[in-house]
């Protein structure tokens, strides 16, 4: 009844109008149960040492088992995430190498999604522009860092790339945020 169903529906005997209408207290009931579930529902990562010396990484998700408005047990789902952790480690190492290389060479990289105009800058590109490493400029903002004459050439190059797939290699002068 707390969830809005009559005993007859639970037993499969008959359906009354009360069984198919939304109870006035539904929002409060759902909020209460969801709030309780958030408190109880948890995830944990755990490293398991294996007999051969390797370590397996697991993710355990604990879900409460409810009965009549009370938690009577838990379902536990355990996933082996070792491969994911290994890929994350390699990605982190690769990102550190890229950042180190960019800093030494004072270079940066970027990419532009031509469909939605979303621009992504590497840490090196952000630093070259005098911006925080996690800065995400719009294409318009990025182009505005360049001198007006170079900006027009860059805009045309982006346009031709978008329309015809034409690659480009240009040198242009930019103005850093700090001048």
């Amino acid at each position: 009844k707390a969830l809005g169903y009559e005993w007859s529906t639970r037993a499969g005997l008959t359906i009354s109008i009360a069984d198919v209408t939304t109870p006035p207290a539904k929002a409060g009931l759902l909020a209460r149960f969801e709030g309780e579930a958030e408190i109880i529902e948890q995830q944990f990562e755990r490293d398991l040492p294996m007999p051969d010396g390797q370590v397996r990484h697991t993710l355990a998700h604990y879900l409460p088992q409810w009965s009549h408005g009370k938690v009577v047990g838990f379902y536990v789902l355990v996933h082996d995430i070792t491969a994911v952790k290994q890929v994350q480690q390699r990605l982190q190492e690769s990102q550190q190498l890229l950042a180190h290389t960019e800093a030494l060479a004072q270079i940066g990289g970027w990419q532009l999604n031509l469909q939605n105009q979303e621009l992504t800058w590497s840490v090196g590109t952000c630093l070259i522009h005098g911006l925080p490493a996690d800065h995400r400029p719009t294409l318009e903002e990025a182009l505005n860092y360049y001198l007006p004459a170079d900006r027009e050439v860059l805009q045309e190059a982006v346009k031709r790339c978008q329309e015809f797939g034409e690659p480009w290699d240009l040198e242009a002068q930019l103005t850093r945020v700090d001048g």
Side-chain angles (χ1 to χ4, degrees):
K1 254 183 170 178
L3 296 175
Y5 295 98
E6 299 293 328
W7 288 108
S8 60
T9 302
R10 291 183 185 178
L13 301 174
T14 185
I15 297 176
S16 73
I17 202 68
D19 291 331
V20 294
T21 58
T22 303
K26 178 181 177 181
L29 291 168
L30 288 174
R32 183 181 128 222
F33 287 119
E34 287 174 4
E36 289 176 13
E38 286 177 9
I39 293 169
I40 297 171
E41 189 174 326
Q42 298 181 27
Q43 289 189 101
F44 299 98
E45 285 189 24
R46 183 173 175 203
D47 294 342
L48 300 174
M50 304 306 286
D52 63 2
Q54 292 186 357
V55 175
R56 304 300 296 176
H57 304 282
T58 62
L59 174 65
H61 192 91
Y62 292 80
L63 302 164
Q65 179 184 1
W66 294 87
S67 179
H68 304 291
K70 293 185 180 188
V71 176
V72 296
F74 287 92
Y75 297 102
V76 182
L77 306 169
V78 180
H79 303 277
D80 184 341
I81 58 169
T82 302
V84 172
K85 289 292 190 180
Q86 290 169 342
V87 169
Q88 287 174 339
Q89 177 65 32
R90 286 195 302 269
L91 176 61
Q92 183 180 11
E93 291 167 359
S94 179
Q95 288 172 332
Q96 288 172 345
L97 178 61
L98 174 62
H100 185 69
T101 303
E102 285 183 332
L104 285 173
Q106 295 183 343
I107 60 172
W110 58 271
Q111 70 179 17
L112 174 65
N113 181 321
L114 294 176
Q115 292 166 340
N116 63 15
Q117 301 295 298
E118 184 177 324
L119 182 62
T120 304
W121 279 1
S122 70
V123 172
T125 300
C126 291
L127 297 178
I128 288 169
H129 285 78
L131 294 163
D134 60 350
H135 187 68
R136 304 271 313 214
T138 63
L139 178 58
E140 181 180 351
E141 176 192 346
L143 289 170
N144 283 332
Y145 289 112
Y146 292 91
L147 300 180
D150 289 339
R151 187 178 314 138
E152 290 176 19
V153 173
L154 288 167
Q155 287 172 321
E156 183 62 26
V158 170
K159 180 181 174 187
R160 292 189 60 78
C161 181
Q162 190 169 13
E163 290 178 8
F164 308 111
E166 185 177 301
W168 47 281
D169 182 11
L170 298 171
E171 289 188 25
Q173 290 185 327
L174 64 87
T175 304
R176 288 173 46 98
V177 170
D178 57 6

